[in-house]
Amino acid sequence: MTKIKICGIKRIEDIQFVNKYKPQYIGFVFAESKRRVSVDQVRYLKQGLDPQIKTVGVFVNESIDKIVEVLAECKLNCIQVHGDETPQYIDTLKGVLGSQPAGKGVEIWKAVRVKDEKSIAMLKSYVVDAFLLDAFVEGSYGGAGKVFDWKLANLAKSCGRIFVAGGLNADNVSNAVEASRPYGVDVSSGVETEGCKDESKIRCFMDKVKGVDNCEVL
């Protein structure tokens, strides 16, 4: 079954939507973004979250100390680093998390902006729990609403679990899943209307993903 991550959660209404439709993951953005949330916001929102839904904290070129601080306050399940983090940074982060009570069992995901096959080749340098493949857009670390060649994700699967992101919505997610058969898909702006999560778009997006999975079973 293709996992679904809905990123950019920031309102209590968003929590109500995800509790109703049950994506496997939701993302809280701690990096500079119009969807950025504070530690206090996340702690409040998590109070009403279905505990079966896993939480992902999204960071861009953040200090490891800050990530550990946020993790301790918010009790996240996964850390997604979405910037220029090196393999050495990941190794250090992994070691620090392993030594912290709040870091036990926390997954580390590395986001990679995909431009061509060379972008995929760099994945081999990282040892992480999952990769999130986003579209390469000059000057942007993500959230630009652009797609990449989904077939490139097939090349990445030998490196581990793959999430496909970048410009996904209910109109194209079926094609993305069929083209790459990823571990999961990630969506943010594709389930929004005027900058806010839209219940009908979330439902439709998830139905399209489940539809591809059901066809595969048949």
Side-chain angles (χ1 to χ4, degrees):
M1 181 180 71
T2 307
K3 310 300 183 186
I4 298 171
K5 172 174 170 262
I6 298 179
C7 202
I9 299 298
K10 62 181 183 180
R11 307 178 304 154
I12 194 65
E13 292 90 345
D14 303 342
I15 295 295
Q16 293 167 352
F17 298 157
V18 298
N19 284 347
K20 184 174 181 178
Y21 297 106
K22 301 290 193 296
Q24 287 76 25
Y25 301 91
I26 61 170
F28 294 116
V29 180
F30 292 97
E32 189 61 43
S33 165
K34 61 185 178 183
R35 302 180 183 90
R36 186 173 189 170
V37 288
S38 67
V39 165
D40 287 342
Q41 280 179 282
V42 172
R43 291 173 64 184
Y44 172 70
L45 292 172
K46 280 195 65 187
Q47 291 177 13
L49 179 66
D50 185 326
Q52 294 185 340
I53 301 174
K54 294 183 178 181
T55 54
V56 183
V58 181
F59 301 87
V60 175
N61 299 330
E62 186 58 86
S63 73
I64 290 176
D65 286 346
K66 182 63 176 179
I67 290 177
V68 171
E69 177 186 326
V70 171
L71 183 63
E73 292 287 341
C74 298
K75 306 297 190 293
L76 303 168
N77 299 112
C78 310
I79 298 297
Q80 176 184 321
V81 290
H82 210 107
D84 303 310
E85 299 85 6
T86 64
Q88 293 73 28
Y89 175 99
I90 297 294
D91 291 343
T92 302
L93 175 61
K94 194 179 301 182
V96 172
L97 292 185
S99 68
Q100 302 289 326
K104 301 293 185 183
V106 174
E107 294 188 356
I108 299 175
W109 300 1
K110 178 69 180 89
V112 176
R113 295 180 293 161
V114 178
K115 191 174 185 179
D116 49 32
E117 290 188 19
K118 292 181 180 178
S119 305
I120 301 300
M122 68 178 290
L123 271 60
K124 297 177 182 179
S125 302
Y126 292 88
V127 179
V128 292
D129 295 288
F131 291 99
L132 187 140
L133 306 183
D134 203 352
F136 178 89
V137 177
E138 192 69 45
S140 172
Y141 284 108
K146 303 295 183 181
V147 302
F148 66 94
D149 183 354
W150 298 315
K151 292 181 180 178
L152 289 172
N154 286 305
L155 301 176
K157 287 192 286 187
S158 63
C159 299
R161 295 187 301 174
I162 300 298
F163 282 81
V164 169
L168 296 182
N169 54 52
D171 293 330
N172 64 16
V173 70
S174 297
N175 292 335
V177 173
E178 289 171 351
S180 58
R181 298 295 175 184
Y183 176 80
V185 291
D186 179 290
V187 64
S188 187
S189 61
V191 290
E192 291 180 349
T193 298
E194 296 182 354
C196 293
K197 294 295 183 281
D198 183 308
E199 180 180 1
S200 63
K201 289 184 178 180
I202 290 174
R203 181 184 67 247
C204 189
F205 183 91
M206 295 190 65
D207 284 347
K208 290 295 182 68
V209 175
K210 292 174 182 177
V212 177
D213 288 339
N214 290 338
C215 288
E216 185 178 9
V217 172
L218 295 174

